[in-house]
Amino acid sequence: MKAAFKNISAFLFGCMLMHTLTGQTAAPAVIFNKKTDQCAPPLGRALFHDWVNAQQRNILKLDGKDDQQFTPSANEDVNFILTQNATIRIDDLQCQIENDSTLNDQKKKGYLKAIENLLKSYLSHSRSKKISRLKLPDIITVFERSYQADLQGQSILPILKEYPYETILTVLNADNITFVKNEGYTASRQLLIYKYCLQYPSRTLKTLFENPGLPFADTLIKLVAKNNPKELYDYAQSTTSTLANTIRGITDDNFVKTIAEIAQSKSGMQYFPFLDNILKGKITIQALDEAKEDSLLYYRLLVKTQIDYTARLHENDTAFEYKTLTERLEKKAKEGFVTTINGLHSESAEVRFKSIQPLTAEELYYLAVSSDGSIYTSSFVKGVFPLMMRKINNRGDSLLMAVHFDKYRKLIKMCAGYNTLGDFLATFPKAANPADEEPSNTLMRAFVKNLEKSAGPEDAVDVADSYASIAETLKPLADQMLFNVQENLLANQATNNKNGIALYTILEKLFLSADSTKHIDLTKELGIPPVYEVPYTSLTNDSGRVIMQQFFYGDKDGMGVFNGFIKQFTNANWKIVAKPKWVEVSSLKGKPVTIYANRALPEEGGEDELAQKELCAYLETNKLFPTVTIHRGHSYYANATIEQMAPSSKIVFLGSCGGYHLLHSVLDVAEDAHITASKQIGATEINRPFIQLLADKARLGSNIDWIPFWKELEKTVGNVPEFVDYIPPYKNLGALFIKAYKIAMSKDSYDDDEE
């Protein structure tokens, strides 16, 4: 009686399970609870049954246990139903086919082979997680119903329409020849594609391109067009593909029609940042045609649109292709203006900054915030910043309001890095009421607030980058920043916001560490590698040698710097071996150290670039992996060094102007590197002593302990004014933040997995 009750319960639960899992109203098939002995196959078909039985056994083992049970769920009743489906229900289906007198031998073999392939498909798709293992009852039901319809000469299409993509995928992919002669087969294959596109809209256009001529292509195009306008644009550009013709043939959807029109232009991507305003009728393609050939007009239009879109963003209205607009604006700012004024660094201010004179304060603002990391110190300090402030009547508050505070953290970070933040904040008006907070203080409070709501850690990195500079020049403001960070940490702890807790905990520890009297151990507090010391053993290779690489460039200044380097190491402690494209400087006393430096061959014709590439190839081929990388050259060469530097670098020295603003790029290549660079002017009087001291420490087998190292360097350098702008690794708070944040997020991810 108990067994009978379990059988009835299993049947009823099976009905509910299949309805719950599929959301379908179709009646489920009966769960058979007995092994019939009435379907003993003849010898000629026994092998086909054995193949099915083998797949049944594989399903029972799919849960990792060889116990004749299929238990992928934590629910005992669900597992019972799944086991019944994998065993008795399949057994009965075999018997149905075997005992069907209307089928000849070939037909029976075909349907038995189809069952085998059905189970193989289920196994494959469940292992790759394309489907849930709980879908087995549905899959068998769809196959049974399709098999019965096929026997009666009916279309399988109406049956498949009732079920989701994963279910019919397994049935149709099981054996394409099973139902190939069914009148609904072709339409069913198209249905599978249609349901796939509905389930994975981001893959729709690619799928339509690979399956041309589908009758529902225009419907799907209109459905997914707004998800990725740029992808639609790319496909619409073709002059020969069926998909492009379909896109261009859609005239009843303004969005698709507009994309198709833009795609037919050779300058289509120049229109794309303005897509939303084109759709809204705020600007025409004809107006864009008039502006795109004029660099100044086009840049102005980009800035105007950026301000417009940012204002809408504050109203929770995100314009189409807002990100594309921002990227295009940054590219235009750098290529059209920043590169020009950087390149004229040796010219008079009148000549150098002539191209930016017509720009408004807002246009200069975007010039600045779009070029962080690429604008020269002098370009910002002597050109863009003072001109921008003059054109806004020296009112920083008015400037930020005019751009709706877009990227204001980036400007504050840059002003802090270039020592102009005090000047910028001084342009804010005083509070009307003595009891009110000063507007500049309100701005700096906002600067560190709501960082957990940002799309990524970039805003928090800007805050971290700013603090060291602010602490040195604006101590009261730095103290207030620390207080604000601690206040925000408490707020995030109260709401248990993990991201916010991580962000503000890291910032608090970094800010405290900037004061050496606090004795903050960042390795202990944040789990990052040691920041105050680089052990000698971490610099040596398997043979105990320290490999250093210096990059030189073939302009006039670079040739002079290279010659100075050779003279610097022409002494009893070092041996210089000259090669056609590089030199090898090896220690004669102390521990083995070799400095590989490419020759500063003439930059005309790219001889210096070729020398660098050949040296890098030589080092890689011979497994000589540098742990120290040194950039010697102007700032406009720094990115080339970073692109070629070895990921094995543990110490990186950027001897150019403004190298401090490239820290993040360095960390993208060597994530644990200790970086030393200048916020402003790179000076030979500092670079040479730094390199000499570092090389001698390595030759003597000493650890690089940065605090005493820096004191020794300062004593050697003397009164060179540029020294204050050189930032040692333990004060590169932005770089340290990135390291700590990666570790914190990795730990949170691990903890979540464990839960």
Side-chain angles (χ1 to χ4, degrees), residues 71-342:
T71 57
S73 165
N75 187 301
E76 183 180 350
D77 292 326
V78 170
N79 292 335
F80 176 76
I81 298 302
L82 292 171
T83 302
Q84 293 288 88
N85 273 267
T87 55
I88 297 173
R89 191 174 177 192
I90 295 295
D91 289 346
D92 186 74
L93 189 53
Q94 291 173 260
C95 286
Q96 287 183 46
I97 294 170
E98 188 59 48
N99 292 334
D100 193 331
S101 60
T102 66
L103 297 175
N104 60 28
D105 177 70
Q106 205 61 32
K107 276 282 189 181
K108 288 181 180 181
K109 287 180 178 178
Y111 282 126
L112 288 170
K113 187 65 176 174
I115 296 175
E116 179 201 0
N117 287 333
L118 177 80
L119 301 183
K120 280 184 177 179
S121 182
Y122 168 76
L123 284 162
S124 173
H125 292 153
S126 57
R127 283 169 179 153
S128 62
K129 297 184 179 180
K130 287 183 179 179
I131 63 170
S132 165
R133 296 180 182 184
L134 304 185
K135 289 283 186 182
L136 182 61
D138 268 357
I139 290 167
I140 297 174
T141 296
V142 175
F143 181 84
E144 283 181 327
R145 293 179 65 194
S146 299
Y147 150 68
Q148 292 294 340
D150 192 56
L151 279 178
Q152 298 168 29
Q154 298 173 355
S155 172
I156 63 174
L157 181 62
I159 298 167
L160 299 182
K161 282 183 176 179
E162 299 176 23
Y163 293 87
Y165 164 73
E166 292 92 340
T167 304
I168 64 175
L169 166 71
T170 307
V171 173
L172 288 178
N173 274 11
D175 179 1
N176 287 339
I177 65 170
T178 303
F179 302 117
V180 73
K181 293 183 179 180
N182 187 277
E183 64 174 284
Y185 178 76
T186 300
S188 296
R189 298 295 305 177
Q190 293 176 344
L191 173 69
L192 180 65
I193 295 173
Y194 182 79
K195 293 201 172 193
Y196 174 81
C197 291
L198 291 181
Q199 180 147 332
Y200 302 104
S202 64
R203 306 174 193 172
T204 294
L205 293 175
K206 183 176 184 293
T207 303
L208 293 178
F209 179 78
E210 294 170 347
N211 297 272
L214 294 170
F216 45 77
D218 56 345
T219 300
L220 288 174
I221 289 169
K222 289 186 280 189
L223 196 62
V224 303
K226 294 181 180 179
N227 295 347
N228 193 339
K230 192 175 289 184
E231 185 184 20
L232 182 66
Y233 168 88
D234 289 339
Y235 281 111
Q237 276 191 305
S238 171
T239 58
T240 58
S241 76
T242 301
L243 178 57
N245 290 332
T246 304
I247 293 170
R248 291 195 291 270
I250 296 174
T251 58
D252 59 347
D253 185 295
N254 186 49
F255 190 92
V256 176
K257 183 180 177 182
T258 301
I259 295 291
E261 184 180 355
I262 292 175
Q264 297 314 295
S265 170
K266 293 180 180 179
S267 305
M269 284 310 296
Q270 293 201 59
Y271 303 133
F272 224 72
F274 310 99
L275 176 61
D276 205 277
N277 278 349
I278 293 172
L279 291 166
K280 286 182 167 58
K282 292 184 176 181
I283 193 169
T284 65
I285 291 179
Q286 290 72 26
L288 289 170
D289 283 335
E290 295 174 4
K292 66 183 176 64
E293 301 303 330
D294 186 310
S295 182
L296 177 59
L297 290 178
Y298 186 73
Y299 176 71
R300 281 183 163 162
L301 196 54
L302 286 168
V303 170
K304 180 181 178 183
T305 308
Q306 176 79 13
I307 293 172
D308 176 27
Y309 285 6
T310 301
R312 288 171 51 185
L313 193 63
H314 291 313
E315 301 297 326
N316 296 318
D317 176 17
T318 303
F320 286 116
E321 296 304 312
Y322 179 65
K323 182 180 179 182
T324 299
L325 170 66
T326 300
E327 291 172 351
R328 173 66 67 166
L329 176 55
E330 291 178 356
K331 187 172 186 289
K332 194 66 178 176
K334 292 175 184 177
E335 293 180 353
F337 298 96
V338 174
T339 300
T340 300
I341 60 177
N342 282 350

Side-chain angles (χ1 to χ4, degrees), residues 421-435:
L421 181 59
D423 296 335
F424 179 68
L425 295 178
T427 67
F428 280 64
K430 297 296 182 182
N433 190 325

Side-chain angles (χ1 to χ4, degrees), residues 12 27 59 112 178 426 486 521 539 547 575 581 674 677 731:
L12 293 175
I59 290 177
L112 288 170
T178 303
Q486 292 169 333
D521 185 346
L539 297 177
I547 304 296
K575 174 186 177 182
K581 297 292 177 63
H674 287 226
K731 287 189 176 183

Side-chain angles (χ1 to χ4, degrees), residues 307 310 314 362 365-366 398-406:
I307 293 172
T310 301
H314 291 313
E362 294 87 347
Y365 175 88
Y366 280 105
S398 299
L399 176 64
L400 295 183
M401 285 188 285
V403 298
H404 305 291
F405 288 84
D406 186 24

